[in-house]
Amino acid sequence: TRAATEAALSDADPVVVTAQRGEDLRDISLRELGSADAWRDVAALNGLFGSEVAPGTPILIPRRSRDRSLSAR
């Protein structure tokens, strides 16, 4: 949700990842946050309206959510 994204940003700066060829926000969200469903939050954080991104696009990922997903692995 947007509130969760805003809360994550208030605690730490986001991580920046670069979109690779063939990826969309679902792929990036799955890799970085552990859930493809988080793509809408990532899109909102980045001012995007869909899940498609061009290769080389920098994408902000909320650090707290990312840290939580990494510790669950």
Side-chain angles (χ1 to χ4, degrees), residues 6-34:
E6 289 174 3
L9 289 177
S10 68
D11 288 343
D13 292 331
V15 172
V16 179
V17 299
T18 303
Q20 303 299 311
R21 180 177 296 179
E23 285 188 318
D24 64 13
L25 290 182
R26 288 178 182 92
D27 299 318
I28 294 168
S29 296
L30 179 60
R31 182 183 71 232
E32 298 295 327
L33 300 173

Side-chain angles (χ1 to χ4, degrees), residues 18-69:
T18 303
Q20 303 299 311
R21 180 177 296 179
E23 285 188 318
D24 64 13
L25 290 182
R26 288 178 182 92
D27 299 318
I28 294 168
S29 296
L30 179 60
R31 182 183 71 232
E32 298 295 327
L33 300 173
S35 172
D37 293 333
W39 79 266
R40 287 181 182 88
D41 293 332
V42 174
L45 177 63
N46 288 277
L48 302 172
F49 298 100
S51 66
E52 294 185 18
V53 291
T57 302
I59 303 294
L60 299 173
I61 304 293
R63 184 182 303 267
R64 175 194 270 176
S65 296
R66 182 177 187 271
D67 291 346
R68 199 176 301 137
S69 70

